[in-house]
Each structure stands twice: as C-alpha cells, then as structure tokens.
C-alpha cells in the first residue's frame, strides 16, 4: 500500500519509499514467495528507482507465486505501459480484470492501457465500464478524459478543450487534475488564469505534499517553460514523472520539452 501511494503521487517519495521497501523486505524474510511484497518492490523499482530490469524480475516472481493476484497483474501492466509494450500491457490488464472485475483500480488501469495505446473508442468503453461499476467523481473524470483524447484523435481540438473546461477539481483534493484545468484555460482564456492557479498550487505545496511534477506542469502552462523543475523532479524521484508529457499513441499534443527529454533519457525512457 505504501508503494502504491507513492506511485500515485500521494506521499513524498523520500519519506514513504524507504518505509515501503523495508516493510516489503521484512515480509520476504518471513516468506520469500509473498506476492504482495514482490509487487511492492516492483512498483518501487518502476516508479522510484526506474530500474526497469529489476522491476520486471519482481513482477514475474509475484505473478509466478500467485497467478490470480489482480494487483500483481495491474502493477505489471502499468510497468509495461510505461515501457510502451502495449500488447503485453493489454494482456496483463485483461488478466487483472478477469480476477477482479469490479475493482476500480483495475478498471482504471484498463482505461489507461487503452488510452495510451491509442485505442480511444476502447478507452471510452473502459471508462464507462468503470463508471458503471464504481460511480464517483474520479470515474467521471476518466470518462471526460477519454472523450477529450478521442476528440483530439479525431482532430477536433475545440471539442477537446471544451471538455477539459468541464473538469473543475477541488484544489485541495485533486492537484494532479489541475493539469487539465490549467491547460484548458491557457488555450481558451488568458495566461493570467494559469499564473493564478500555479500560484495557488505553490501555496498549497507549502501546507501539504504536492508532487513536483504537478508544479512543473503548472509552471509550464503559466510561463511557457519548465524552468528548473525537470531536474528538481528527478532529484525528488517523483513517481508521476514517468507520465509527464506522455501522450497517447498517435497524438502529439505538443513536442516534448528539451529540458524534460534530457531527464527522460536519464530515466531510461523513450520519447
């Protein structure tokens, strides 16, 4: 759980990851085949250490130890998706759905696999499936996001931006979703709106943890540059850094920033 929270940008990596790794290794001292511990180590290696080979090793052990463990298949699917192994990611997430069809986390993972693979109609279907099984505000965001990217894929950028304006998140609860709101306002209203929201994010970060990648995105939308945020994100080992400026296959919303390309290569990721 600690590892998953870190991967979702809910906790400061430097504080939570060592605790998660320590707990996982203690569990493995008691039972070397413990699936959840191997999965947790895999998540840490994927999102914090960017040790792609080591992460693959942990996921394979986890799944071999418990082939019907949906969490292990889900975590491995996200790893494969980040590595742009789309067909392999789809196979893993399908197994996770088979074993836990009503899990919101699993169905959200299926949505992400379809979206980043460029299967936009299927992404919409997965979002609607998640909404039917787990109604709530976050699910409505998935549906909106799926519709946005399908509109972009169809070349209907005005519709995409209109849909983005429908996401008005609670700044205290959904800092990651402010990315969409800032971006839409930058295109449709004024740069001042983006600057004000970036200032609000900075103020929020003085009171609680906000992933550096969120602040980096806000800086980009407010001022048109990433500043020194890419290196700061790298030094913090921000878990959400693997998703930044990662567009669905077949779409290039804007070119990857040169500063971030340098960091991504250091992480061992492809542009």
């Amino acid at each position: 759980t600690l590892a998953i929270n870190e991967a979702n940008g809910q906790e400061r990596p430097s504080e939570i990851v060592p605790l998660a790794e320590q707990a996982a290794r203690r569990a493995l001292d008691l039972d070397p085949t413990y699936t959840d511990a191997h999965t947790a180590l895999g998540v840490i290696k994927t999102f914090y250490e960017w040790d792609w080979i080591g992460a693959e090793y942990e996921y394979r052990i986890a799944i071999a130890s418990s082939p019907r463990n949906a969490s292990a298949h889900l975590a491995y699917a996200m790893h494969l998706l980040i590595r742009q192994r789309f067909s392999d990611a789809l196979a893993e997430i399908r197994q996770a759905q088979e074993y836990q069809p009503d899990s919101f986390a699993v169905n959200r993972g299926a949505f992400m696999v379809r979206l980043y693979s460029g299967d936009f109609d299927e992404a919409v279907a997965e979002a609607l499936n998640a909404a039917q099984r787990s109604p709530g505000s976050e699910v409505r965001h998935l549906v909106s996001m799926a519709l946005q990217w399908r509109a972009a894929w169809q070349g209907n950028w005005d519709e995409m931006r209109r849909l983005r304006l429908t996401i008005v998140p609670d700044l205290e609860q959904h800092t990651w979703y402010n990315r969409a709101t800032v971006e839409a306002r930058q295109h449709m209203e004024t740069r001042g709106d983006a600057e004000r929201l970036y200032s609000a994010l900075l103020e929020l970060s003085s009171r609680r943890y906000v992933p550096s990648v969120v602040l980096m995105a806000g800086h980009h939308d407010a001022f048109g540059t990433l500043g020194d945020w890419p290196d700061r994100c790298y030094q913090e080992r921000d878990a959400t850094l693997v998703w930044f400026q990662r567009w669905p296959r077949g779409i290039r919303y804007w070119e990857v920033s040169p500063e971030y390309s340098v960091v991504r290569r250091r992480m061992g990721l492809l542009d």
Side-chain angles (χ1 to χ4, degrees):
T1 300
L2 293 174
I4 296 299
N5 284 345
E6 191 278 328
N8 286 333
Q10 298 174 19
E11 306 283 353
R12 193 178 302 278
S14 60
E15 296 174 359
I16 206 69
V17 169
L19 297 177
E21 183 172 7
Q22 185 180 52
R25 295 201 181 281
R26 276 203 306 263
L28 290 176
D29 286 340
L30 299 173
D31 180 2
T33 65
Y34 186 38
T35 297
D36 290 346
H38 282 293
T39 301
L41 290 178
V43 169
I44 290 170
K45 289 180 182 298
T46 294
F47 291 94
Y48 180 71
E49 297 177 353
W50 308 315
D51 176 2
W52 312 112
I53 295 175
E56 181 109 6
Y57 173 79
E58 296 293 346
Y59 295 131
R60 288 183 178 276
I61 292 179
I63 291 170
S65 299
S66 182
R68 299 180 64 85
N69 187 297
S71 295
H73 286 289
L74 168 61
Y76 190 26
M78 294 300 98
H79 170 86
L80 293 167
L81 184 59
I82 292 166
R83 302 299 291 160
Q84 299 185 36
R85 291 167 55 185
F86 300 114
S87 59
D88 292 336
L90 180 58
E92 289 298 325
I93 203 64
R94 280 177 169 168
Q95 290 195 65
Q97 285 183 302
E98 178 184 348
Y99 303 139
Q100 272 192 12
D102 293 324
S103 165
F104 172 68
V106 168
N107 289 319
R108 179 179 57 189
F111 157 78
M112 292 178 66
V113 169
R114 292 295 194 177
L115 179 72
Y116 284 99
S117 298
D119 298 330
F120 299 104
D121 288 337
E122 291 297 330
V124 172
E126 292 291 358
L128 292 173
N129 174 57
Q132 182 179 17
R133 294 175 181 271
S134 308
S137 60
E138 188 170 356
V139 179
R140 289 196 297 274
H141 168 78
L142 294 188
V143 175
S144 177
M145 187 176 176
L147 292 171
Q148 289 168 39
W149 283 114
R150 185 168 68 177
W153 176 61
Q154 294 168 342
N156 192 346
W157 293 98
D158 288 340
E159 175 65 7
M160 179 191 184
R161 291 163 186 154
R162 185 193 69 77
L163 287 165
R164 280 180 178 263
L165 282 177
T166 66
I167 304 175
V168 185
D170 179 344
L171 185 62
E172 290 284 344
Q173 299 298 323
H174 298 296
T175 55
W176 180 246
Y177 296 164
N178 279 282
R179 178 82 176 97
T181 305
V182 174
E183 189 174 298
R185 288 178 177 173
Q186 180 190 13
H187 285 286
M188 298 186 69
E189 297 180 20
T190 67
R191 182 61 60 85
D193 291 312
E195 291 178 6
R196 282 192 288 274
L197 192 48
Y198 176 61
S199 295
L201 283 168
L202 283 176
E203 193 279 329
L204 176 61
S205 70
S206 70
R207 294 184 282 111
R208 53 167 275 194
Y209 174 63
V210 175
S212 293
V213 73
V214 175
L215 296 169
M216 176 168 66
H219 187 281
H220 181 275
D221 289 331
F223 306 111
T225 68
L226 296 178
D228 65 348
W229 280 109
D231 190 62
R232 290 167 70 174
C233 291
Y234 183 87
Q235 296 301 326
E236 186 180 290
R237 314 297 283 190
D238 194 310
T240 50
L241 192 57
V242 295
W243 300 114
F244 185 70
Q245 291 192 352
R246 176 61 58 88
W247 316 128
R249 186 163 60 169
I251 291 179
R252 197 69 157 182
Y253 195 31
W254 65 65
E255 291 301 313
V256 174
S257 303
E259 311 98 308
Y260 181 52
S261 288
V262 173
V263 168
R264 197 138 81 181
R265 285 194 292 271
R266 287 164 67 189
M267 295 165 63
L269 292 173
L270 302 173
D271 283 337

PDB file of all heavy atoms in Angstrom, residues 179-207:
ATOM      1  N   ARG A 179      -3.866  19.939 -13.795  1.00  0.00           N
ATOM      2  CA  ARG A 179      -3.136  19.976 -15.076  1.00  0.00           C
ATOM      3  C   ARG A 179      -4.098  20.256 -16.214  1.00  0.00           C
ATOM      4  O   ARG A 179      -3.854  21.112 -17.058  1.00  0.00           O
ATOM      5  CB  ARG A 179      -2.456  18.625 -15.289  1.00  0.00           C
ATOM      6  CG  ARG A 179      -1.698  18.525 -16.611  1.00  0.00           C
ATOM      7  CD  ARG A 179      -0.317  19.177 -16.461  1.00  0.00           C
ATOM      8  NE  ARG A 179       0.415  18.997 -17.682  1.00  0.00           N
ATOM      9  CZ  ARG A 179       0.502  19.902 -18.639  1.00  0.00           C
ATOM     10  NH1 ARG A 179      -0.109  21.043 -18.528  1.00  0.00           N
ATOM     11  NH2 ARG A 179       1.216  19.677 -19.720  1.00  0.00           N
ATOM     12  N   ALA A 180      -5.226  19.549 -16.245  1.00  0.00           N
ATOM     13  CA  ALA A 180      -6.190  19.716 -17.325  1.00  0.00           C
ATOM     14  C   ALA A 180      -6.825  21.113 -17.286  1.00  0.00           C
ATOM     15  O   ALA A 180      -7.003  21.762 -18.318  1.00  0.00           O
ATOM     16  CB  ALA A 180      -7.277  18.648 -17.227  1.00  0.00           C
ATOM     17  N   THR A 181      -7.164  21.583 -16.103  1.00  0.00           N
ATOM     18  CA  THR A 181      -7.819  22.874 -15.982  1.00  0.00           C
ATOM     19  C   THR A 181      -6.894  24.006 -16.399  1.00  0.00           C
ATOM     20  O   THR A 181      -7.276  24.917 -17.134  1.00  0.00           O
ATOM     21  CB  THR A 181      -8.288  23.094 -14.526  1.00  0.00           C
ATOM     22  OG1 THR A 181      -9.110  21.995 -14.151  1.00  0.00           O
ATOM     23  CG2 THR A 181      -9.087  24.379 -14.405  1.00  0.00           C
ATOM     24  N   VAL A 182      -5.646  23.960 -15.924  1.00  0.00           N
ATOM     25  CA  VAL A 182      -4.682  24.996 -16.300  1.00  0.00           C
ATOM     26  C   VAL A 182      -4.485  25.009 -17.803  1.00  0.00           C
ATOM     27  O   VAL A 182      -4.494  26.063 -18.450  1.00  0.00           O
ATOM     28  CB  VAL A 182      -3.325  24.752 -15.595  1.00  0.00           C
ATOM     29  CG1 VAL A 182      -2.279  25.729 -16.098  1.00  0.00           C
ATOM     30  CG2 VAL A 182      -3.481  24.905 -14.096  1.00  0.00           C
ATOM     31  N   GLU A 183      -4.335  23.831 -18.372  1.00  0.00           N
ATOM     32  CA  GLU A 183      -4.056  23.735 -19.798  1.00  0.00           C
ATOM     33  C   GLU A 183      -5.202  24.300 -20.625  1.00  0.00           C
ATOM     34  O   GLU A 183      -5.012  25.059 -21.575  1.00  0.00           O
ATOM     35  CB  GLU A 183      -3.830  22.265 -20.157  1.00  0.00           C
ATOM     36  CG  GLU A 183      -3.328  22.042 -21.560  1.00  0.00           C
ATOM     37  CD  GLU A 183      -2.999  20.576 -21.740  1.00  0.00           C
ATOM     38  OE1 GLU A 183      -2.123  20.064 -21.036  1.00  0.00           O
ATOM     39  OE2 GLU A 183      -3.663  19.964 -22.579  1.00  0.00           O
ATOM     40  N   ALA A 184      -6.434  23.958 -20.245  1.00  0.00           N
ATOM     41  CA  ALA A 184      -7.597  24.454 -20.970  1.00  0.00           C
ATOM     42  C   ALA A 184      -7.695  25.971 -20.868  1.00  0.00           C
ATOM     43  O   ALA A 184      -7.950  26.659 -21.861  1.00  0.00           O
ATOM     44  CB  ALA A 184      -8.860  23.804 -20.418  1.00  0.00           C
ATOM     45  N   ARG A 185      -7.463  26.515 -19.677  1.00  0.00           N
ATOM     46  CA  ARG A 185      -7.574  27.949 -19.502  1.00  0.00           C
ATOM     47  C   ARG A 185      -6.478  28.691 -20.259  1.00  0.00           C
ATOM     48  O   ARG A 185      -6.682  29.791 -20.758  1.00  0.00           O
ATOM     49  CB  ARG A 185      -7.525  28.287 -18.018  1.00  0.00           C
ATOM     50  CG  ARG A 185      -8.796  27.873 -17.290  1.00  0.00           C
ATOM     51  CD  ARG A 185      -8.723  28.166 -15.817  1.00  0.00           C
ATOM     52  NE  ARG A 185      -9.977  27.821 -15.161  1.00  0.00           N
ATOM     53  CZ  ARG A 185     -10.157  27.842 -13.859  1.00  0.00           C
ATOM     54  NH1 ARG A 185      -9.158  28.165 -13.050  1.00  0.00           N
ATOM     55  NH2 ARG A 185     -11.332  27.538 -13.337  1.00  0.00           N
ATOM     56  N   GLN A 186      -5.313  28.048 -20.362  1.00  0.00           N
ATOM     57  CA  GLN A 186      -4.224  28.681 -21.102  1.00  0.00           C
ATOM     58  C   GLN A 186      -4.636  28.877 -22.560  1.00  0.00           C
ATOM     59  O   GLN A 186      -4.362  29.911 -23.159  1.00  0.00           O
ATOM     60  CB  GLN A 186      -2.961  27.829 -21.038  1.00  0.00           C
ATOM     61  CG  GLN A 186      -1.790  28.448 -21.805  1.00  0.00           C
ATOM     62  CD  GLN A 186      -0.630  27.484 -21.928  1.00  0.00           C
ATOM     63  OE1 GLN A 186      -0.774  26.307 -21.654  1.00  0.00           O
ATOM     64  NE2 GLN A 186       0.512  27.987 -22.348  1.00  0.00           N
ATOM     65  N   HIS A 187      -5.320  27.896 -23.124  1.00  0.00           N
ATOM     66  CA  HIS A 187      -5.689  27.960 -24.533  1.00  0.00           C
ATOM     67  C   HIS A 187      -6.929  28.821 -24.782  1.00  0.00           C
ATOM     68  O   HIS A 187      -7.045  29.455 -25.814  1.00  0.00           O
ATOM     69  CB  HIS A 187      -5.942  26.546 -25.068  1.00  0.00           C
ATOM     70  CG  HIS A 187      -4.694  25.773 -25.281  1.00  0.00           C
ATOM     71  ND1 HIS A 187      -3.824  26.005 -26.312  1.00  0.00           N
ATOM     72  CD2 HIS A 187      -4.140  24.769 -24.574  1.00  0.00           C
ATOM     73  CE1 HIS A 187      -2.799  25.186 -26.248  1.00  0.00           C
ATOM     74  NE2 HIS A 187      -2.973  24.413 -25.195  1.00  0.00           N
ATOM     75  N   MET A 188      -7.861  28.822 -23.812  1.00  0.00           N
ATOM     76  CA  MET A 188      -9.166  29.403 -24.090  1.00  0.00           C
ATOM     77  C   MET A 188      -9.404  30.741 -23.400  1.00  0.00           C
ATOM     78  O   MET A 188     -10.301  31.468 -23.788  1.00  0.00           O
ATOM     79  CB  MET A 188     -10.268  28.422 -23.682  1.00  0.00           C
ATOM     80  CG  MET A 188     -10.204  27.118 -24.457  1.00  0.00           C
ATOM     81  SD  MET A 188     -11.587  26.034 -24.097  1.00  0.00           S
ATOM     82  CE  MET A 188     -12.933  26.944 -24.860  1.00  0.00           C
ATOM     83  N   GLU A 189      -8.612  31.071 -22.378  1.00  0.00           N
ATOM     84  CA  GLU A 189      -8.847  32.325 -21.689  1.00  0.00           C
ATOM     85  C   GLU A 189      -7.561  33.153 -21.708  1.00  0.00           C
ATOM     86  O   GLU A 189      -7.132  33.611 -22.748  1.00  0.00           O
ATOM     87  CB  GLU A 189      -9.362  32.046 -20.274  1.00  0.00           C
ATOM     88  CG  GLU A 189     -10.719  31.331 -20.296  1.00  0.00           C
ATOM     89  CD  GLU A 189     -11.249  31.043 -18.904  1.00  0.00           C
ATOM     90  OE1 GLU A 189     -10.793  31.690 -17.944  1.00  0.00           O
ATOM     91  OE2 GLU A 189     -12.129  30.174 -18.784  1.00  0.00           O
ATOM     92  N   THR A 190      -6.927  33.339 -20.556  1.00  0.00           N
ATOM     93  CA  THR A 190      -5.736  34.173 -20.521  1.00  0.00           C
ATOM     94  C   THR A 190      -4.625  33.488 -19.760  1.00  0.00           C
ATOM     95  O   THR A 190      -4.858  32.610 -18.934  1.00  0.00           O
ATOM     96  CB  THR A 190      -6.030  35.519 -19.829  1.00  0.00           C
ATOM     97  OG1 THR A 190      -6.294  35.270 -18.449  1.00  0.00           O
ATOM     98  CG2 THR A 190      -7.215  36.226 -20.460  1.00  0.00           C
ATOM     99  N   ARG A 191      -3.389  33.935 -20.012  1.00  0.00           N
ATOM    100  CA  ARG A 191      -2.244  33.397 -19.285  1.00  0.00           C
ATOM    101  C   ARG A 191      -2.359  33.706 -17.796  1.00  0.00           C
ATOM    102  O   ARG A 191      -1.871  32.968 -16.951  1.00  0.00           O
ATOM    103  CB  ARG A 191      -0.960  33.988 -19.868  1.00  0.00           C
ATOM    104  CG  ARG A 191       0.336  33.500 -19.244  1.00  0.00           C
ATOM    105  CD  ARG A 191       0.528  31.993 -19.386  1.00  0.00           C
ATOM    106  NE  ARG A 191       0.555  31.561 -20.750  1.00  0.00           N
ATOM    107  CZ  ARG A 191       1.644  31.552 -21.536  1.00  0.00           C
ATOM    108  NH1 ARG A 191       2.789  31.973 -21.060  1.00  0.00           N
ATOM    109  NH2 ARG A 191       1.580  31.118 -22.765  1.00  0.00           N
ATOM    110  N   GLY A 192      -3.052  34.814 -17.463  1.00  0.00           N
ATOM    111  CA  GLY A 192      -3.213  35.179 -16.066  1.00  0.00           C
ATOM    112  C   GLY A 192      -3.906  34.116 -15.247  1.00  0.00           C
ATOM    113  O   GLY A 192      -3.577  33.898 -14.073  1.00  0.00           O
ATOM    114  N   ASP A 193      -4.875  33.412 -15.850  1.00  0.00           N
ATOM    115  CA  ASP A 193      -5.559  32.334 -15.127  1.00  0.00           C
ATOM    116  C   ASP A 193      -4.576  31.232 -14.761  1.00  0.00           C
ATOM    117  O   ASP A 193      -4.608  30.687 -13.655  1.00  0.00           O
ATOM    118  CB  ASP A 193      -6.693  31.752 -15.982  1.00  0.00           C
ATOM    119  CG  ASP A 193      -7.828  32.739 -16.162  1.00  0.00           C
ATOM    120  OD1 ASP A 193      -8.258  33.325 -15.157  1.00  0.00           O
ATOM    121  OD2 ASP A 193      -8.274  32.921 -17.303  1.00  0.00           O
ATOM    122  N   ALA A 194      -3.708  30.885 -15.713  1.00  0.00           N
ATOM    123  CA  ALA A 194      -2.723  29.836 -15.462  1.00  0.00           C
ATOM    124  C   ALA A 194      -1.746  30.271 -14.371  1.00  0.00           C
ATOM    125  O   ALA A 194      -1.360  29.471 -13.515  1.00  0.00           O
ATOM    126  CB  ALA A 194      -1.973  29.502 -16.751  1.00  0.00           C
ATOM    127  N   GLU A 195      -1.349  31.541 -14.395  1.00  0.00           N
ATOM    128  CA  GLU A 195      -0.427  32.030 -13.379  1.00  0.00           C
ATOM    129  C   GLU A 195      -1.059  32.002 -11.996  1.00  0.00           C
ATOM    130  O   GLU A 195      -0.413  31.642 -11.005  1.00  0.00           O
ATOM    131  CB  GLU A 195       0.024  33.446 -13.736  1.00  0.00           C
ATOM    132  CG  GLU A 195       0.920  33.501 -14.961  1.00  0.00           C
ATOM    133  CD  GLU A 195       1.308  34.923 -15.315  1.00  0.00           C
ATOM    134  OE1 GLU A 195       0.977  35.852 -14.536  1.00  0.00           O
ATOM    135  OE2 GLU A 195       1.946  35.117 -16.369  1.00  0.00           O
ATOM    136  N   ARG A 196      -2.350  32.359 -11.920  1.00  0.00           N
ATOM    137  CA  ARG A 196      -3.028  32.353 -10.621  1.00  0.00           C
ATOM    138  C   ARG A 196      -3.165  30.937 -10.081  1.00  0.00           C
ATOM    139  O   ARG A 196      -2.988  30.696  -8.879  1.00  0.00           O
ATOM    140  CB  ARG A 196      -4.397  33.024 -10.742  1.00  0.00           C
ATOM    141  CG  ARG A 196      -4.324  34.549 -10.771  1.00  0.00           C
ATOM    142  CD  ARG A 196      -5.690  35.169 -10.605  1.00  0.00           C
ATOM    143  NE  ARG A 196      -6.518  34.984 -11.792  1.00  0.00           N
ATOM    144  CZ  ARG A 196      -6.499  35.797 -12.838  1.00  0.00           C
ATOM    145  NH1 ARG A 196      -5.688  36.853 -12.850  1.00  0.00           N
ATOM    146  NH2 ARG A 196      -7.287  35.589 -13.874  1.00  0.00           N
ATOM    147  N   LEU A 197      -3.469  29.980 -10.968  1.00  0.00           N
ATOM    148  CA  LEU A 197      -3.606  28.606 -10.494  1.00  0.00           C
ATOM    149  C   LEU A 197      -2.250  28.031 -10.086  1.00  0.00           C
ATOM    150  O   LEU A 197      -2.149  27.288  -9.102  1.00  0.00           O
ATOM    151  CB  LEU A 197      -4.254  27.734 -11.575  1.00  0.00           C
ATOM    152  CG  LEU A 197      -4.720  26.348 -11.127  1.00  0.00           C
ATOM    153  CD1 LEU A 197      -5.524  26.405  -9.830  1.00  0.00           C
ATOM    154  CD2 LEU A 197      -5.529  25.682 -12.217  1.00  0.00           C
ATOM    155  N   TYR A 198      -1.201  28.398 -10.817  1.00  0.00           N
ATOM    156  CA  TYR A 198       0.141  27.962 -10.426  1.00  0.00           C
ATOM    157  C   TYR A 198       0.506  28.523  -9.054  1.00  0.00           C
ATOM    158  O   TYR A 198       1.057  27.812  -8.199  1.00  0.00           O
ATOM    159  CB  TYR A 198       1.154  28.418 -11.480  1.00  0.00           C
ATOM    160  CG  TYR A 198       2.596  28.111 -11.122  1.00  0.00           C
ATOM    161  CD1 TYR A 198       3.019  26.799 -10.929  1.00  0.00           C
ATOM    162  CD2 TYR A 198       3.521  29.139 -10.972  1.00  0.00           C
ATOM    163  CE1 TYR A 198       4.340  26.519 -10.598  1.00  0.00           C
ATOM    164  CE2 TYR A 198       4.842  28.867 -10.650  1.00  0.00           C
ATOM    165  CZ  TYR A 198       5.246  27.561 -10.464  1.00  0.00           C
ATOM    166  OH  TYR A 198       6.551  27.285 -10.138  1.00  0.00           O
ATOM    167  N   SER A 199       0.165  29.782  -8.815  1.00  0.00           N
ATOM    168  CA  SER A 199       0.419  30.385  -7.503  1.00  0.00           C
ATOM    169  C   SER A 199      -0.354  29.647  -6.414  1.00  0.00           C
ATOM    170  O   SER A 199       0.162  29.430  -5.304  1.00  0.00           O
ATOM    171  CB  SER A 199       0.031  31.867  -7.514  1.00  0.00           C
ATOM    172  OG  SER A 199       0.858  32.604  -8.395  1.00  0.00           O
ATOM    173  N   ALA A 200      -1.593  29.240  -6.732  1.00  0.00           N
ATOM    174  CA  ALA A 200      -2.393  28.505  -5.752  1.00  0.00           C
ATOM    175  C   ALA A 200      -1.767  27.151  -5.446  1.00  0.00           C
ATOM    176  O   ALA A 200      -1.761  26.697  -4.295  1.00  0.00           O
ATOM    177  CB  ALA A 200      -3.823  28.325  -6.272  1.00  0.00           C
ATOM    178  N   LEU A 201      -1.209  26.507  -6.465  1.00  0.00           N
ATOM    179  CA  LEU A 201      -0.540  25.229  -6.253  1.00  0.00           C
ATOM    180  C   LEU A 201       0.709  25.401  -5.382  1.00  0.00           C
ATOM    181  O   LEU A 201       0.982  24.578  -4.506  1.00  0.00           O
ATOM    182  CB  LEU A 201      -0.162  24.598  -7.595  1.00  0.00           C
ATOM    183  CG  LEU A 201      -1.291  23.944  -8.386  1.00  0.00           C
ATOM    184  CD1 LEU A 201      -0.828  23.643  -9.803  1.00  0.00           C
ATOM    185  CD2 LEU A 201      -1.762  22.669  -7.701  1.00  0.00           C
ATOM    186  N   LEU A 202       1.468  26.466  -5.633  1.00  0.00           N
ATOM    187  CA  LEU A 202       2.648  26.732  -4.805  1.00  0.00           C
ATOM    188  C   LEU A 202       2.250  26.950  -3.348  1.00  0.00           C
ATOM    189  O   LEU A 202       2.903  26.445  -2.432  1.00  0.00           O
ATOM    190  CB  LEU A 202       3.393  27.957  -5.335  1.00  0.00           C
ATOM    191  CG  LEU A 202       4.261  27.775  -6.579  1.00  0.00           C
ATOM    192  CD1 LEU A 202       4.847  29.118  -7.005  1.00  0.00           C
ATOM    193  CD2 LEU A 202       5.368  26.758  -6.341  1.00  0.00           C
ATOM    194  N   GLU A 203       1.165  27.708  -3.154  1.00  0.00           N
ATOM    195  CA  GLU A 203       0.705  27.960  -1.788  1.00  0.00           C
ATOM    196  C   GLU A 203       0.259  26.673  -1.118  1.00  0.00           C
ATOM    197  O   GLU A 203       0.581  26.409   0.046  1.00  0.00           O
ATOM    198  CB  GLU A 203      -0.443  28.973  -1.809  1.00  0.00           C
ATOM    199  CG  GLU A 203      -0.804  29.544  -0.462  1.00  0.00           C
ATOM    200  CD  GLU A 203      -1.691  28.620   0.365  1.00  0.00           C
ATOM    201  OE1 GLU A 203      -2.482  27.879  -0.250  1.00  0.00           O
ATOM    202  OE2 GLU A 203      -1.584  28.630   1.601  1.00  0.00           O
ATOM    203  N   LEU A 204      -0.440  25.828  -1.876  1.00  0.00           N
ATOM    204  CA  LEU A 204      -0.878  24.543  -1.342  1.00  0.00           C
ATOM    205  C   LEU A 204       0.328  23.676  -0.975  1.00  0.00           C
ATOM    206  O   LEU A 204       0.328  22.988   0.047  1.00  0.00           O
ATOM    207  CB  LEU A 204      -1.753  23.824  -2.372  1.00  0.00           C
ATOM    208  CG  LEU A 204      -2.229  22.416  -2.011  1.00  0.00           C
ATOM    209  CD1 LEU A 204      -3.076  22.439  -0.742  1.00  0.00           C
ATOM    210  CD2 LEU A 204      -3.015  21.814  -3.166  1.00  0.00           C
ATOM    211  N   SER A 205       1.372  23.737  -1.794  1.00  0.00           N
ATOM    212  CA  SER A 205       2.554  22.903  -1.544  1.00  0.00           C
ATOM    213  C   SER A 205       3.296  23.320  -0.279  1.00  0.00           C
ATOM    214  O   SER A 205       4.094  22.553   0.254  1.00  0.00           O
ATOM    215  CB  SER A 205       3.501  22.951  -2.742  1.00  0.00           C
ATOM    216  OG  SER A 205       4.129  24.224  -2.854  1.00  0.00           O
ATOM    217  N   SER A 206       3.032  24.532   0.208  1.00  0.00           N
ATOM    218  CA  SER A 206       3.647  24.960   1.464  1.00  0.00           C
ATOM    219  C   SER A 206       2.951  24.339   2.666  1.00  0.00           C
ATOM    220  O   SER A 206       3.485  24.357   3.779  1.00  0.00           O
ATOM    221  CB  SER A 206       3.606  26.488   1.583  1.00  0.00           C
ATOM    222  OG  SER A 206       2.279  26.949   1.783  1.00  0.00           O
ATOM    223  N   ARG A 207       1.759  23.773   2.448  1.00  0.00           N
ATOM    224  CA  ARG A 207       0.971  23.201   3.545  1.00  0.00           C
ATOM    225  C   ARG A 207       0.882  21.690   3.499  1.00  0.00           C
ATOM    226  O   ARG A 207       0.623  21.053   4.511  1.00  0.00           O
ATOM    227  CB  ARG A 207      -0.447  23.792   3.536  1.00  0.00           C
ATOM    228  CG  ARG A 207      -0.483  25.277   3.859  1.00  0.00           C
ATOM    229  CD  ARG A 207      -1.900  25.814   3.936  1.00  0.00           C
ATOM    230  NE  ARG A 207      -2.482  26.028   2.630  1.00  0.00           N
ATOM    231  CZ  ARG A 207      -3.483  25.317   2.113  1.00  0.00           C
ATOM    232  NH1 ARG A 207      -4.000  24.313   2.791  1.00  0.00           N
ATOM    233  NH2 ARG A 207      -3.957  25.596   0.919  1.00  0.00           N
TER     234      ARG A 207
END
